[in-house]
Amino acid sequence: MENLVLGFFIYFALFQLFALPLILLKQHLTLLMVLWLAVVAIVLILGFIVLYKEMKGERRKKKNLIKSRQIMCYLAMAVLVLFFCYFTAIQNYWGWDTAFYIGTISTTVDTDTMYLINGESGAAEKVLPLRYALSGFYMNSAVFCKITGITAVYFQKYVMGTLCVLLYFSILYLVGQALFEKSITKTAGFLWAAGILNLFFVSEYTTSQFLILRAYEAKAYCANVIIPAIFWLLLLLHKDLQNKGNWKALFLVMLASVPVSMSAIFIAPAMVGIAVLGESIVNKNLKIFINGMVCILPNAVYLVMYLLYTLDVWVIKV
Amino acid sequence: MYEVNSILETLKIYIGQSGIGLLFLVCLLLILGYHVQGKDTRSGKTLIWVIFLSVVVLFNDVSMKVLGKLTDSATLYRFFWAVPVILVTAYGVVNFFSKAKGVAAKLVVAGICVLMLATMGEGYVTADSVRYPGTMEKIPQDIKTICEIIDEYKTVENPVCAFDQAAQLMVRTENPSIVWAVSRKAYLYFQQYGYDNGSRKYRYSENLLKVVDNGIQIKKKKLRKSLRKKKVEFLVIKKEYDMDAYLKKVGLNPVGESDSYIVYQYINEDKE
């Protein structure tokens, strides 16, 4: 499960390496698509080679019998997740932001340009809107729509929306395992409790609203994937502050946070900064704070770019 | 979006009318008490410091004003996403349920949770929310038909069109070649401040909105000028507004209709 979650962040960190320069250089979507297809092909080939070697070298392990109680817990979690996938997919929320984000993807595919035309209104942009263009999230959807021919509405609402739900519950599973010392029963209870609470947390712009009604938006990924993932890793680090693997994972999540959602530009570093400062004070160890600051460096870079744009110091004319 | 000036007011709107705020607070306090008094005092101290620093650094009116200047103040609610309401509450509920000794105690804990849930209203699962939308793409046939008509009769690659809000939100996802005549900002401005308040910035948009969104028959000269200035080619009008005769006098011709709308085309003959 960790691989699934961290793999999502690695994917977007890698995608951003190609997407952002091309967006800033006002290149065509087709170029990004071709480059990204090549990268994906190379990664898949390498992945299969590594997998093949691992399977070849693996000795026959003694299979642990899964208890029937554990099977029931896994089934219960699966039912919950399937219900949420179905329930979010049938929602029909349609607001101004929906028009903007899905319009952005449609416009990108239709015109083969990236952020040169306003996705919401269809009018030509005078300057590159870095408030949105610094994140490659919607361009990733546009790449897939261009490759497959699937319309933006279909792809975003059904594919990306469902992916958000799957990632959310995967992260919750990992949080549950960390909180309840790997007890499957309690983890299943935790997921169900969270699921039910989400269904009843009806208020404006809450994480639940975005998960259930707007799971296809980058903001929903910020609220229900990035922030819970940071929470999970901070929890693991709290248990073992010397674990280098968890620090690296936190850096990776922070590196990919803005590529997934611009909303993470302030929230993510604020969360990490406050948490590591608290840990540093309690453990009387400055190195914890320094490690945390290293993790938020990517966000600091994006923040500088964003502030230069909002102050009209860095303007890319279209 | 929240239109409030203090962090407490923002919090009140975020938590809403449901009992989840109280349940979260109870769970947080019990978790804090458990860690502070128990063996794991390090966790308790860390939690206290994190809460303290969160309030000092982030969740206060001064930070709200500063962050409001750096970001869009309408998006400050997003900082509350960092408060793990669902995670803490779910953890608290499961923890106390599992720690309750005996069936009776577990039933009491479960009963309290159910009572709390009952205060949260009907939730997201309602008869309406479980109904499947009309089309797989969730775009009504009405909108698809409008887009087809515009595509058939347009004289330019990217025709400028004016719609009511419901149609405007969907058309570009179906047909991205269409350009909005009225921006989101104009729409929201008039929703907040109403018409006829002397706005010069949005005067042409105001005229178009009065016609397409409210079915008001404004002076023909004003509408013609607004159509020319905004380079509008199509107006999409609800059938119930019954504006056929009026729009023909303005110079608009009906070119097609869907179940709820009529599409009118305006040919601008001015050599601007």
Side-chain angles (χ1 to χ4, degrees), chain B residues 115-232:
Chain B
L115 267 172
M116 290 286 211
L117 276 180
T119 67
M120 293 182 195
E122 61 178 357
Y124 284 109
V125 183
T126 61
D128 281 341
S129 70
V130 193
R131 201 180 305 148
Y132 205 86
T135 62
M136 278 292 283
E137 303 98 315
K138 307 174 197 289
I139 298 175
Q141 188 54 49
D142 237 350
I143 304 298
K144 288 172 173 283
T145 307
I146 290 169
C147 292
E148 283 163 14
I149 296 166
I150 290 172
D151 240 2
E152 189 184 335
Y153 287 95
K154 66 185 184 185
T155 59
V156 295
E157 186 59 36
N158 299 104
V160 179
C161 310
F163 311 85
D164 66 358
Q165 182 173 319
Q168 172 144 322
L169 291 179
M170 294 191 186
V171 283
R172 291 203 75 256
T173 57
E174 177 66 18
N175 184 346
S177 72
I178 291 172
V179 177
W180 287 353
V182 180
S183 66
R184 179 206 299 216
K185 279 186 181 169
Y187 251 109
L188 295 177
Y189 175 86
F190 290 111
Q191 276 171 7
Q192 187 169 2
Y193 299 109
Y195 297 132
D196 302 318
N197 59 36
S199 161
R200 278 198 63 77
K201 185 179 176 186
Y202 297 123
R203 61 190 183 281
Y204 301 124
S205 296
E206 183 176 1
N207 292 335
L208 292 171
L209 278 177
K210 280 178 175 177
V211 175
V212 296
D213 209 37
N214 300 93
I216 298 170
Q217 297 184 10
I218 64 172
K219 284 183 184 169
K220 293 188 276 293
K221 200 174 162 184
K222 266 189 173 176
L223 179 57
R224 265 189 229 111
K225 188 172 183 184
S226 301
L227 291 169
R228 280 199 300 270
K229 287 289 184 185
K230 300 289 269 180
K231 298 183 182 155
V232 176

Side-chain angles (χ1 to χ4, degrees), chain A residues 296-316:
Chain A
I296 71 172
L297 270 175
N299 296 78
V301 171
Y302 281 112
L303 203 51
V304 167
M305 289 199 279
Y306 176 73
L307 288 173
L308 287 174
Y309 163 73
T310 52
L311 295 169
D312 290 333
V313 172
W314 184 33
V315 169
I316 299 175

Side-chain angles (χ1 to χ4, degrees), chain A residues 19-299:
Chain A
L20 188 59
L22 292 178
I23 290 169
L24 297 178
L25 291 170
K26 297 176 278 183
Q27 293 301 307
H28 291 285
L29 176 72
T30 307
L31 179 57
L32 174 60
M33 181 191 79
V34 168
L35 281 174
W36 187 239
L37 274 175
V39 169
V40 168
I42 293 168
V43 168
L44 280 175
I45 292 167
L46 289 173
F48 280 124
I49 293 171
V50 167
L51 191 63
Y52 175 73
K53 283 183 178 173
E54 275 184 3
M55 285 172 72
K56 206 175 162 190
E58 199 179 85
R59 290 176 192 174
R60 290 190 79 178
K61 289 180 185 168
K62 191 176 173 184
K63 286 179 189 173
N64 291 324
L65 284 171
I66 301 174
K67 296 173 190 168
S68 59
R69 192 178 184 187
Q70 284 183 330
I71 293 173
M72 292 308 295
C73 290
Y74 281 118
L75 273 173
M77 288 190 276
V79 164
L80 176 75
V81 173
L82 282 171
F83 168 75
F84 265 85
C85 288
Y86 164 76
F87 190 63
T88 56
I90 63 169
Q91 296 310 307
N92 198 22
Y93 173 90
W94 213 290
W96 289 104
D97 284 353
T98 316
F100 180 71
Y101 299 130
I102 298 186
T104 294
I105 301 165
S106 300
T107 303
T108 301
V109 175
D110 195 54
T111 62
D112 201 26
T113 61
M114 296 190 282
Y115 291 109
L116 302 187
I117 294 173
N118 186 288
E120 183 177 64
S121 65
E125 295 280 16
K126 291 183 182 138
V127 299
L128 208 61
L130 293 184
R131 182 182 170 178
Y132 306 104
L134 286 178
S135 165
F137 184 77
Y138 293 110
M139 293 305 105
N140 174 68
S141 298
V143 163
F144 276 96
C145 289
K146 195 159 177 83
I147 294 169
T148 59
I150 299 174
T151 61
V153 169
Y154 259 122
F155 184 80
Q156 212 56 18
K157 289 211 169 189
Y158 292 117
V159 177
M160 295 308 284
T162 305
L163 179 63
C164 182
V165 171
L166 291 172
L167 285 167
Y168 174 70
F169 282 104
S170 299
I171 295 167
L172 247 60
Y173 175 85
L174 293 169
V175 170
Q177 291 280 279
L179 286 171
F180 297 111
E181 310 299 332
K182 297 195 188 298
S183 161
I184 295 295
T185 316
K186 288 180 185 175
T187 302
F190 177 68
L191 254 69
W192 268 89
I196 291 169
L197 287 166
N198 270 305
L199 289 175
F200 283 91
F201 192 9
V202 180
S203 187
E204 286 262 62
Y205 310 121
T206 60
T207 55
S208 307
Q209 188 190 61
F210 279 93
L211 179 70
I212 289 167
L213 299 183
R214 302 165 70 168
Y216 49 89
E217 291 186 27
K219 287 198 282 279
Y221 275 78
C222 178
N224 296 293
V225 178
I226 296 171
I227 290 173
I230 292 172
F231 183 84
W232 164 55
L233 289 168
L234 289 174
L235 190 60
L236 292 180
L237 281 165
H238 173 71
K239 290 180 167 214
D240 182 3
L241 286 159
Q242 307 308 319
N243 189 316
K244 284 183 183 169
N246 290 334
W247 282 113
K248 286 177 188 170
L250 183 62
F251 179 82
L252 171 66
V253 168
M254 297 302 284
L255 180 67
S257 61
V258 172
V260 172
S261 173
M262 280 296 289
S263 297
I265 200 167
F266 283 106
I267 306 169
M271 262 183 90
V272 172
I274 286 168
V276 297
L277 185 56
E279 292 280 8
S280 208
I281 293 168
V282 170
N283 293 282
K284 297 184 176 64
N285 185 346
L286 186 61
K287 200 180 171 206
I288 299 168
F289 184 70
I290 293 170
N291 286 348
M293 291 302 104
V294 169
C295 287
I296 71 172
L297 270 175
N299 296 78

